[in-house]
Amino acid sequence: MTQPLSVQLYTVRDALGADLPGTLQRIAGIGFTKVELFGYVDRADEYAAALTEAGLEAPSGHARLLDAGEQDLERIFHATATIGTQTLIDPHIDEARWTTREDVEAIARELSALAPRAADHGLTLGYHNHAFEFSNRIDGVSAYEVFAGALSDDVVLELDTYWAKVGGDDPVAVIEKLGDKVQFLHVKDGDGSHDDKQQVAVGNGIMPIREIVAAAPNALHVIELDDHDGDVFQAVADSYTFLQGVGA
């Protein structure tokens, strides 16, 4: 039986900017029942209504947490809970902080310290990687591995499998090492370069998609293209069809 798939709405950001309700309806028309939010905090009520109208739910959402001030944090927590999102994921922490063990462990402590506050709003916290967390090495392992080992048990990981690969690690091995700590997967494909425009529909690039999916059967698989040289909705639809075919 195939698992439900999600899509990171950053993929269709231009369409969302022009027509939020229509874009969500179009996503639902592909077959999605779940989406991952970004840029929703100032439009929480609008998103909540449009998601309901489209028959979609948003189990996860992206918002910068460690860069936020105290007032903004409360606003983020409230907006996320208003929409009904359960997992709030920090999508980016400055690359300059990922070079030493001390700095990486400090990041983990800071994020872990926010987890009880998020839990008061019914939220679980997570982190989403890019390539630099893997390309930066500390004592022979990736900064990401150091980070994961220092996180509290109540903070989860959303592994961007493509950026892990670009950063120099085997995403399947990363999943196998971290186990159920990885609750979400960003599933994307391309030529394995830093050039976002070279990302393609899942199944059309170099990524070992079947192995990745098989390694994390209990994680929510989230389709994303950071950019695409073509019709992004077609790429999303093709990704959905491919992942349905391999049992994601």
Side-chain angles (χ1 to χ4, degrees):
M1 180 177 176
T2 58
Q3 297 278 28
L5 295 168
S6 183
V7 58
Q8 166 53 251
L9 291 179
Y10 182 76
T11 304
V12 292
R13 56 195 175 276
D14 293 337
L16 276 176
D19 181 4
L20 171 61
T23 300
L24 294 181
Q25 294 280 358
R26 193 170 177 184
I27 289 292
I30 292 171
F32 290 96
T33 58
K34 302 178 187 297
V35 297
E36 184 170 80
L37 303 177
F38 87 102
Y40 61 90
V41 173
D42 293 327
R43 306 172 70 184
D45 291 337
E46 187 181 356
Y47 263 97
L51 287 164
T52 299
E53 182 66 24
L56 295 168
E57 59 179 356
S60 56
H62 282 193
R64 298 280 287 266
L65 300 174
L66 295 195
D67 291 344
E70 189 64 29
Q71 189 171 359
D72 283 339
L73 271 176
E74 283 304 316
R75 198 163 55 87
I76 292 167
F77 290 152
H78 178 73
T80 307
T82 293
I83 293 172
T85 297
Q86 299 95 38
T87 304
L88 174 57
I89 297 168
D90 194 317
H92 186 274
I93 295 170
D94 185 12
E95 181 176 359
R97 298 194 63 192
W98 293 87
T99 56
T100 69
R101 179 176 295 274
E102 292 73 22
D103 281 348
V104 171
E105 290 179 345
I107 292 170
R109 285 195 302 272
E110 290 170 32
L111 200 54
S112 298
L114 292 179
R117 291 180 53 187
D120 289 341
H121 295 265
L123 302 171
T124 299
L125 292 190
Y127 181 70
H128 165 276
N129 62 281
H130 291 80
F132 55 77
E133 297 94 338
F134 287 92
S135 58
N136 290 344
R137 313 299 287 187
I138 298 171
D139 299 329
V141 301
S142 70
Y144 187 84
E145 186 172 329
V146 174
F147 168 72
L151 274 180
S152 62
D153 291 341
D154 50 358
V155 179
V156 303
L157 294 170
E158 177 173 65
L159 180 67
D160 189 308
T161 56
Y162 188 76
W163 290 126
K165 172 80 168 172
V166 174
D169 274 33
D170 173 3
V172 175
V174 174
I175 295 166
E176 290 172 347
K177 182 172 287 188
L178 297 177
D180 289 340
K181 188 78 170 167
V182 179
Q183 293 287 305
F184 300 84
L185 285 186
H186 266 199
V187 184
K188 60 177 70 166
D189 215 337
D191 68 352
S193 75
H194 285 273
D195 183 357
D196 292 351
K197 280 283 191 184
Q198 299 307 311
Q199 292 178 22
V200 295
V202 173
N204 289 348
I206 68 158
M207 295 294 289
I209 301 297
R210 287 178 173 81
E211 292 82 357
I212 287 169
V213 167
N218 298 319
L220 180 60
H221 302 138
V222 184
I223 293 166
E224 185 187 37
L225 294 97
D226 294 296
D227 209 338
H228 178 61
D229 188 16
D231 183 338
V232 72
F233 280 98
Q234 187 61 55
V236 168
D238 290 346
S239 298
Y240 180 90
T241 300
F242 180 85
L243 286 170
Q244 288 283 301
V246 300

